[in-house]
Every structure is written in C-alpha cells, then in structure tokens.
Amino acid sequence: MAVDMTYNFRQDDEPTDEQLEQLMREVGEDVRARAEKADEELWKNVREEIRLAAEWMKARQK
C-alpha cells in the first residue's frame, strides 16, 4: 500500500499515522546507512593509524 507522502509540515493539520510511520521508517534507514558509513570510515582510520604506528616502531628499532 502506497502512502501519500505529500504532507507539508508547515500546514496546520497533523500528518496521518501512516505518513509518520513512513517518515520514521525512511529516517531510520537513512540513519542506519550513515552509521554504517561512519563505522567503516572509523575502522579504516584506525587501521591506518595502526599501520603508521607499526612503521614508526620499526624505524625506531633500526
């Protein structure tokens, strides 16, 4: 069932429960996608810092 998503939050009337449910679902999907991307970027940076620290330690041991 398609939900009419033409609601404008500047109107005086309240959105329907279906519109709110759809909006919250879309927001949740967006937040999960952004969190996954941020998590991937964090671990990429952590791995790079570990690599750099290992290089630094190796250079100091020479």
Side-chain angles (χ1 to χ4, degrees):
M1 173 174 82
V3 176
D4 176 16
M5 292 302 291
T6 59
Y7 178 77
N8 182 343
F9 280 97
R10 291 184 225 147
Q11 296 172 345
D12 288 332
D13 55 328
E14 297 292 323
T16 65
D17 288 344
E18 292 82 13
Q19 288 172 324
L20 286 174
E21 183 179 333
Q22 179 68 27
L23 177 62
M24 294 306 293
R25 185 178 8 251
E26 290 174 9
V27 167
E29 291 169 359
D30 183 56
V31 167
R32 280 187 290 279
R34 288 174 185 235
E36 185 176 312
K37 184 177 179 182
D39 194 50
E40 289 171 2
E41 187 68 22
L42 168 69
W43 286 109
K44 177 182 154 193
N45 290 338
V46 167
R47 286 188 296 274
E48 178 64 11
E49 288 297 323
I50 291 169
R51 186 189 68 75
L52 291 172
E55 281 183 11
W56 181 80
M57 287 298 293
K58 188 176 180 179
R60 293 213 9 127
Q61 291 175 351
K62 290 183 178 180

